[in-house]
Structure formats: C-alpha cells, structure tokens
Amino acid sequence: MKSTQSRIKLKELIYLSILIALGIVLNLLEPPISPIPGAKLGLANIVILLALLFFGESEAIVVALLRAVLSAFFKGMLHPIPLFTSMGGSVMAAIAMILVYDLCRKHFSIVGISIIGGIVNNLTQFFIVLYITRNSALWYYFPILLFLGGISGWIIGLITKILYNKMKTVVKNGT
Amino acid sequence: MKKGDKLLALILVVVFIFAIGQYTFINISKTKRAIIIRSDGEIVQQIPLNETTEIITTIKSKEGAVTVQIKNGKVHIIESTCHDKLCVKQGWISRTGESIVCLPNRISISIVGEEKNEIDSITH
C-alpha cells in the first residue's frame, strides 16, 4: 500500500515539475502583443489552470508561485517591484480560478474560469502599479486592461481545454 | 457555453464599448495639456505641454533615474537605469490620458487634460 501511495505522490511531483518547466518556457518565449508595454497573453496561466484541473488547489498556487519566481531568475530580473507585481497577478489569478472552480463549477466552463483568471491577473497588477506609482492618471488604462485580461483569458481557456482533453487519459490513468 | 460564461462574454462586450467610448471622448479636448511626472509616488514636475515645448530632463527616484524628452507635443523616455527598459521601449506618447510607467524606478509620466485645477495654477 505504502509504495503505491508514494508512487502516486512521485508521479504527481513529476507532472507538476513538468508543468512548472513548461510555464517558464512559455513565459520566456511568448512575444509582447498589446500596445501597453509588458502586457502579454499570459500563456503561463495554461499550466496553472492545468495544475488546478488535474491536481488541486494548493498545487495550482505552488505552480503559480514557483513559475513567477523561476521565470524572473531565468530572465535575470529579480528586482522586487516587478517580481512582486508578476507574482501578485499570478497568485491572485490562481486564487480566483480556484474559488470559481470550487464554488460555482456548475456555471462556468474551463474557458469561463480562465477568463476570470485573466481579468483578475490584470486587475491585480493594475492595482499594484497604481499603489506603487500613486498616479491616478493610470485609471485611463483600466477599461482596456479589463478587456484585454478577459480576451487573453478566453484564448488561454480554449488552449487549456484542448490540452486538458488530450492529457486527461495520460495523467489520470498512466503509471 | 454555460450560464456564467455567457455573463462573462456580455461583461466583456460592455467593457469594450465603454473603453472605445472613453478613448474617443477623452481625446476631443486637446487644448491646455500638461505633463505630470511622479517619482516615488510624489509629483516632482509639472510641465505645460504644447507643440513648442522642448525639454530634456532627468528624473531621480530612490531606485534609479530616467531621462525624459519632450518634443513636438510628445513625450518619451530616452534612458533609464532599470533592467527591463520597458519604459524606453514604449516610445512616444502624445494623447491626453496616456502614461509611461517605469515600475522598477517607481517613476511615472502622464499627459493630463485641462480639467485638473492643479495644472491651471501652474500655467496661468
């Protein structure tokens, strides 16, 4: 019994490591897309959502945190302010997606959960930047950030849905 | 699509319409504009902005410094001590409401319209 249990644990650990590695690579490779500098599609959120769907709440948070910190390491950018902003967005998005997933899964599909994650990610980063700069003129960007967060969440959700359906059989049954 | 998804889609459409409306509306009033520069959360410079304003200035903060150029009614950051240089890459801004933020340096530059009283007291 014990060896089966530890094998499951080990398998989960390996899958989570692969997800984190994938998240780092996706984050490093994805090009900036929007007119607002630094704003990206957020492909790394795919792996957070997959971790939530396959393994659970705390695993999703761990993936979100480690992905943000390790990405910063690989980029050589460990300045506390951008790191905090990126981590804050990532973790808050993970928490929001967990809450929706746990409390009202009936009403939201994977795409819906991802849209909420995208919006929360952008809003968290917006409010951190607002707090750091104390610049109320930045509210100008609020509607477009809200919209872009939703749209990128939508795209991320569609990708995640396809990946989830393809990976389902492997992750859940394979040994 | 589930019920919640439809609601989210509706919210996104409403936000999109609102955003388009806001960005077209704000840029109608182009008279009397100013540039407000903040460092470490405090306003350090207010410069009236028009076609003839031509300034190059360096803004310092506790974290570092950026060099700002104002020319032909437009603003950009020429140089920054930060690592990612996102503020430099952003290039020129010229529309009322737009901002450049250098997050690592805690410096932000915004173009604001005439409604604000604080600017009137400087320009008159």
Side-chain angles (χ1 to χ4, degrees):
Chain A
M1 271 308 277
K2 196 168 174 272
S3 77
T4 332
Q5 241 177 6
S6 64
R7 232 168 81 195
I8 292 169
K9 266 277 159 223
L10 181 66
K11 209 183 92 182
E12 194 182 305
L13 198 65
I14 292 170
Y15 277 121
L16 286 176
S17 313
I18 295 172
L19 284 179
I20 293 170
L22 268 175
I24 295 165
V25 174
L26 285 173
N27 179 260
L28 290 177
L29 293 184
E30 74 172 313
I33 39 137
S34 78
I36 302 158
K40 287 174 161 190
L41 202 51
L43 288 176
N45 283 336
I46 294 172
V47 298
I48 298 172
L49 199 46
L50 284 176
L52 172 65
L53 294 171
F54 283 125
F55 302 108
E57 294 82 355
S58 46
E59 284 83 352
I61 302 255
V62 169
V63 169
L65 265 174
L66 283 179
R67 202 285 304 159
V69 175
L70 290 173
S71 281
F73 259 114
F74 282 108
K75 284 181 192 161
M77 290 197 277
L78 281 169
H79 191 285
I81 295 176
L83 180 62
F84 180 70
T85 313
S86 133
M87 258 171 56
S90 208
V91 172
M92 287 304 287
I95 291 172
M97 292 195 293
I98 287 166
L99 287 177
V100 177
Y101 183 73
D102 281 355
L103 300 176
C104 36
R105 208 180 311 177
K106 265 185 242 149
H107 305 294
F108 293 95
S109 67
I110 294 179
V111 179
I113 294 172
S114 177
I115 291 174
I116 290 170
I119 291 174
V120 170
N121 189 336
N122 271 14
L123 292 195
T124 308
Q125 297 205 22
F126 174 80
F127 284 114
I128 294 174
V129 172
L130 196 66
Y131 178 76
I132 288 169
T133 59
R134 313 275 162 119
N135 186 348
S136 57
L138 294 180
W139 280 100
Y140 175 80
Y141 292 103
F142 185 81
I144 195 71
L145 280 173
L146 193 65
F147 178 70
L148 287 177
I151 292 299
S152 52
W154 198 316
I155 297 166
I156 297 299
L158 289 174
I159 299 171
T160 309
K161 202 171 137 190
I162 295 166
L163 287 174
Y164 177 74
N165 288 329
K166 285 197 187 297
M167 289 166 72
K168 209 160 41 180
T169 47
V170 184
V171 177
K172 285 192 172 158
N173 305 326
T175 39
Chain B
M1 270 229 273
K2 294 186 185 175
K3 215 196 288 171
D5 297 348
K6 284 179 188 159
L7 184 71
L8 286 174
L10 185 72
I11 291 171
L12 285 183
V13 171
V14 171
V15 169
F16 182 69
I17 294 168
F18 180 79
I20 295 290
Q22 186 201 332
Y23 297 129
T24 36
F25 177 73
I26 277 184
N27 281 285
I28 292 170
S29 60
K30 270 207 158 182
T31 49
K32 247 188 256 167
R33 306 190 302 161
I35 291 166
I36 294 190
I37 302 176
R38 275 169 221 257
S39 165
D40 294 322
E42 306 280 335
I43 296 176
V44 287
Q45 278 200 44
Q46 297 190 31
I47 306 159
L49 176 67
N50 51 53
E51 292 299 313
T52 54
T53 314
E54 213 175 313
I55 296 168
I56 292 180
T57 174
T58 298
I59 310 295
K60 286 196 178 77
S61 74
K62 283 175 200 144
E63 309 281 341
V66 299
T67 305
V68 182
Q69 183 182 27
I70 304 165
K71 204 181 173 183
N72 301 329
K74 297 187 291 184
V75 194
H76 77 154
I77 292 182
I78 309 172
E79 221 174 52
S80 167
T81 55
C82 67
H83 198 108
D84 54 20
K85 309 277 187 232
L86 286 172
C87 51
V88 181
K89 285 179 197 152
Q90 189 177 352
W92 296 94
I93 57 167
S94 58
R95 294 158 72 98
T96 308
E98 286 187 322
S99 297
I100 301 175
V101 174
C102 185
L103 200 56
N105 283 334
R106 293 191 65 189
I107 292 170
S108 68
I109 299 153
S110 302
I111 302 178
V112 297
E114 58 178 340
E115 309 84 42
K116 301 219 167 158
N117 298 324
E118 41 186 359
I119 297 141
D120 284 348
S121 59
I122 300 282
T123 47
H124 291 295

